Amino acid sequence: MSQLKTVLVVDDHPMFRDGLVSLVESLDWAEVVGQAEDAESAVALARDARPDIVLMDLHLAAGNGLDATARITAELPGTAVLVLTMVENDDAVAAALHAGARGYLVKGASRAQIRRALEAVADGETILGRGTAGALARLTANGDALSAFPTLTDREREVLGQLAAGLSNGEIAARLFLSDKTVRNVVSAIFGKLEVSSRAEAVARARDAGLGGAAPGLGRRSDG
């Protein structure tokens, strides 16, 4: 790459974070401009350093990486977030992509895979690593159905999909890394926008539109 890219590394495990810093610094096109172990520090450092890339864990010492990702990408649209986490399921991938992440890797990824993913998001691509690319079929299959609810936000559509899949508020909170209170508030907003008065009515509307899973996202698989 002709231009040096700046990277913020966010992970609450010091040894793993040090390893990521070492990996980034081994690249001749990238430099580390900050490190954080919690969500608030990550957002604050991102605002200050305005990095090109944020390497983001989802489970942090305080707060969570999903909310940090959403805040960073909303405030800094030019910053690409690459999620690197232990969480490996379709719902987490969907939640991360809807929060604005450009890529998603599981921590079992090799250094070569992480390097390729960093290069991809730096070039403006969206990338999913091994163990997460299977989410694409499920996510894209629901795209047309979600367009049936244009007044809903991405978060509301995401939660509605989980409701349609039969999940409780507590299960939705766990899968999407949200608090129970946040899920209750989102469900209430959904009821208002859909003009329904019960969970059953909302679920029926969602299933009529073809929902039954997570919200859609786009990406390509990393073959590393």
Side-chain angles (χ1 to χ4, degrees), residues 50-70:
R50 306 182 74 86
D52 296 301
I53 302 169
V54 177
L55 263 174
M56 178 74 72
D57 191 9
L58 293 184
H59 289 303
L60 300 173
N64 70 71
L66 192 63
D67 286 342
T69 295

Side-chain angles (χ1 to χ4, degrees), residues 157-176:
R157 290 170 179 170
E158 193 171 37
V159 170
L160 180 60
Q162 300 300 307
L163 289 176
L167 273 65
S168 67
N169 283 7
E171 290 170 326
I172 294 171
R175 288 196 176 199
L176 301 183

Side-chain angles (χ1 to χ4, degrees), residues 34-173:
Q35 301 178 45
E37 65 176 6
D38 60 72
E40 287 301 324
S41 296
V43 174
L45 283 170
R47 286 172 179 156
D48 183 55
R50 306 182 74 86
D52 296 301
I53 302 169
V54 177
L55 263 174
M56 178 74 72
D57 191 9
L58 293 184
H59 289 303
L60 300 173
N64 70 71
L66 192 63
D67 286 342
T69 295
R71 292 167 65 186
I72 290 169
T73 57
E75 294 184 32
L76 302 169
T79 295
V81 176
L82 173 60
V83 171
L84 181 60
T85 182
M86 293 296 294
V87 183
E88 183 179 351
N89 62 63
D90 289 2
D91 297 308
V93 176
L97 293 176
H98 277 262
R102 193 79 58 77
Y104 195 107
L105 295 179
V106 176
K107 282 188 174 179
S110 68
R111 290 174 67 89
Q113 289 171 329
I114 296 172
R115 283 196 298 269
R116 282 195 291 273
L118 284 167
E119 291 170 357
V121 299
D123 286 338
E125 299 180 46
T126 297
I127 185 167
L128 300 181
R130 289 185 182 275
T132 65
L136 284 176
R138 175 182 170 185
L139 302 180
T140 55
N142 283 328
D144 291 340
L146 289 180
S147 66
F149 303 107
T151 63
L152 299 186
T153 65
D154 284 347
R155 173 69 77 198
E156 289 162 355
R157 290 170 179 170
E158 193 171 37
V159 170
L160 180 60
Q162 300 300 307
L163 289 176
L167 273 65
S168 67
N169 283 7
E171 290 170 326
I172 294 171

